């Protein structure tokens, strides 16, 4: 028998979440599968969505090439665009759509010779102040690209800084800035990431760009949006110990038993992607029952409290996150966000299943 640590990934849940996003927003939806599909495996996720996704998005050209090599034929948008002329050559060879977010990339395109015109997504900085053409420069950039024979369609896009905050004035302002600066320009529009799809109908346009919601990790978990978790990170109890009051557990003796404590050792650690920083008290499920992490998470193992779970034994299943323990609650306990936990997944094998969510 092999080590029981695994990430079980339900591809039917992924399709369910994609459909939900696409229906809610209307129009077309890019499935954002950058960073190895937020840790879920980009090729497997792309294949699972190939029958219905209008297009895919990744961050960098290398990620797009991996999908093309795996036989994915849908359009693929590269969200960071070209870093150099080689990226544009790949884009032409493999028919990639390229984001253009700064003047240097427009110059690069001007010097690029393409047999077929490239589809470009022209990004505006409408208020995030990270990347994108300034609103005042946008129409001129659009005109310059439109005049290039190597550029075909131009999609107008921007990205929200605070779409996961339901009433953020900053998002309303970004929408207004974008609409003003694109008034009269031809072409499809795209504004919404997951937070936009779930919370900002005023930003619905031609294309949605859902990422995190595809994986069932709701960026606004205070409302139930009907998403289904795609990944269950699971393992099993590999040893059981009893601590007497006063005895310290694990590295640094960080947890000291105050009462007789039954400890389960779990085959999972930070080398698998479970956050080392998760403190005592972080929720975890054993045999489907909620309990807590105790002591330091170590590289390959971690310890959980079985004091109130007398039936738990070596081999009992453990869910680190999934349906019983949402990845959002673990992220919150660890002082981070579900995005980071999911895309940090490593070492554990991924097991794909494809069954309709309950
Ligand atoms: C990553 C990314 C997305 C997806 O964001 P989520 O918050 O995961 O939905 C959408 N658009 C752009 C430009 C991105 O970089």
């Amino acid at each position: 028998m092999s080590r029981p640590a695994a990430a079980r990934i339900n591809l039917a849940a992924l399709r369910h979440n994609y459909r939900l996003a696409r229906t809610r927003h209307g129009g077309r939806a890019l499935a954002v599968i950058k960073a190895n599909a937020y840790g879920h495996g980009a090729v497997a996720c792309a294949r699972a969505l190939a029958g219905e996704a209008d297009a895919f998005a990744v961050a960098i050209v290398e990620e797009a090439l991996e999908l093309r090599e795996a036989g994915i034929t849908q359009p693929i948008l590269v969200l960071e665009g070209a870093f150099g002329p080689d990226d544009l050559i790949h884009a032409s060879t493999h028919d990639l759509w390229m984001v253009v977010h700064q003047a240097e990339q427009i110059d690069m395109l001007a010097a690029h010779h393409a047999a077929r015109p490239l589809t470009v997504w022209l990004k505006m900085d409408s208020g995030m102040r990270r990347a994108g053409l300034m609103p005042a420069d946008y129409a001129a950039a659009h005109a310059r690209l439109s005049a290039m024979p190597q550029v075909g369609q131009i999609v107008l896009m921007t990205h929200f800084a605070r779409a996961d905050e339901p009433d953020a004035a900053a998002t309303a302002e970004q929408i207004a800035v974008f609409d003003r600066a694109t008034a009269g320009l031809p072409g499809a529009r795209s504004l919404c990431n997951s937070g936009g799809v779930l919370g900002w109908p005023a930003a619905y346009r031609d294309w949605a760009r859902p990422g995190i919601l595809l994986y069932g990790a709701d960026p606004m978990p205070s409302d139930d949006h009907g998403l289904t978790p795609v990944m269950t990170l699971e393992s099993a109890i590999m040893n059981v110990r009893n601590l007497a009051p006063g005895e310290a557990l694990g590295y640094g003796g960080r947890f000291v038993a105050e009462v007789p404590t039954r400890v389960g050792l779990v085959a999972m650690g930070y080398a698998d992607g479970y956050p080392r920083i998760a403190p005592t008290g972080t929720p975890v499920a054993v045999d489907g029952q909620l309990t807590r992490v105790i002591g330091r998470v170590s590289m390959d193992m971690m310890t959980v409290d079985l004091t109130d779970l007398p039936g738990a034994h070596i081999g009992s299943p453990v869910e680190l996150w999934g349906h019983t323990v949402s990845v959002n609650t673990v992220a919150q306990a660890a002082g981070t966000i579900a995005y980071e936990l999911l895309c940090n997944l490593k070492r554990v094998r991924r097991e794909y299943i494809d069954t309709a969510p309950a």
Side-chain angles (χ1 to χ4, degrees), residues 32 34 38 79 123 157 159 193-194 209-212 339:
V32 180
K34 61 190 175 187
Y38 296 45
L79 293 166
K123 184 173 182 173
M157 74 175 284
H159 192 51
N193 59 355
S194 295
R209 306 187 310 271
I212 192 74
Y339 295 76

Side-chain angles (χ1 to χ4, degrees), residues 30 32 34 38 57-59 77 79-80 99 123 130 157-160 190-197 208-215 219 339:
L30 288 170
V32 180
K34 61 190 175 187
Y38 296 45
V58 294
L77 176 65
L79 293 166
E80 289 196 346
V99 165
K123 184 173 182 173
R130 190 181 62 168
M157 74 175 284
T158 195
H159 192 51
F160 293 136
S190 176
L191 283 74
C192 288
N193 59 355
S194 295
V197 169
R209 306 187 310 271
I212 192 74
L213 80 70
L214 299 177
Y215 310 100
Y339 295 76

Side-chain angles (χ1 to χ4, degrees), residues 3-293:
R3 184 171 184 254
R8 189 180 298 275
I9 290 162
N10 188 341
L11 298 170
L14 179 72
R15 283 194 295 273
H16 163 86
N17 296 331
Y18 176 82
R19 281 178 206 139
L20 186 146
R22 194 177 189 278
T23 305
R24 188 176 176 113
H25 178 277
R28 288 180 284 176
L30 288 170
V32 180
I33 55 171
K34 61 190 175 187
N36 203 19
Y38 296 45
H40 293 67
V43 169
C45 289
R47 285 186 177 142
L49 289 170
E52 44 199 304
D54 301 301
F56 295 108
V58 294
I60 60 176
V61 163
E62 287 79 357
E63 292 175 320
L65 297 184
E66 185 195 358
L67 296 174
R68 285 284 181 258
E69 274 159 27
I72 299 299
T73 56
Q74 279 76 13
I76 302 174
L77 176 65
V78 177
L79 293 166
E80 289 196 346
F83 282 87
D86 287 1
D87 282 347
L88 291 179
I89 293 170
H90 285 307
S92 284
T93 308
H94 297 281
D95 195 18
L96 309 178
W97 296 353
M98 299 300 277
V99 165
V100 166
H101 63 75
Q102 61 189 19
E104 288 74 5
Q105 290 175 325
I106 303 178
D107 296 339
M108 233 183 270
L109 268 168
H112 176 64
H113 299 282
R116 279 169 302 158
L118 282 174
T119 294
V120 164
W121 287 46
L122 183 59
K123 184 173 182 173
M124 183 192 301
D125 176 2
S126 59
M128 192 164 180
R129 304 191 185 88
R130 190 181 62 168
L133 279 293
M134 298 312 287
D137 303 329
Y138 195 82
H142 188 277
R144 196 175 160 214
L145 287 168
S146 301
M148 293 183 192
Q150 55 273 54
V151 173
Q153 285 191 42
I154 304 174
V155 177
L156 317 182
M157 74 175 284
T158 195
H159 192 51
F160 293 136
R162 302 175 63 174
D164 53 354
E165 299 169 36
D167 301 313
T171 304
E173 177 64 14
Q174 283 197 262
I175 299 168
V177 166
F178 179 82
D179 283 346
R180 261 199 310 275
T182 56
L185 293 180
R189 271 93 168 137
S190 176
L191 283 74
C192 288
N193 59 355
S194 295
V197 169
L198 297 176
W200 288 92
Y204 293 173
R205 298 290 186 277
D206 304 283
W207 282 94
R209 306 187 310 271
I212 192 74
L213 80 70
L214 299 177
Y215 310 100
D218 196 322
M220 293 127 104
S222 51
D223 290 329
D224 180 4
H225 297 108
L227 304 174
T228 304
V230 173
M231 182 191 297
T232 304
L233 184 63
E234 59 190 24
S235 190
I237 301 289
M238 55 187 278
N239 198 7
V240 178
R241 279 290 167 84
N242 288 294
L243 300 182
E247 286 183 329
L249 170 69
Y251 285 121
R254 286 275 291 228
F255 176 83
V256 179
E258 287 175 8
V259 296
T261 301
R262 194 161 175 258
V263 181
L265 184 65
V266 180
M268 178 68 64
Y270 61 79
D272 300 302
Y274 193 87
R276 178 178 176 278
I277 200 167
T280 289
T282 301
V284 59
V286 178
D287 270 337
Q289 310 273 116
L290 278 179
T291 180
R292 58 179 186 147
V293 172

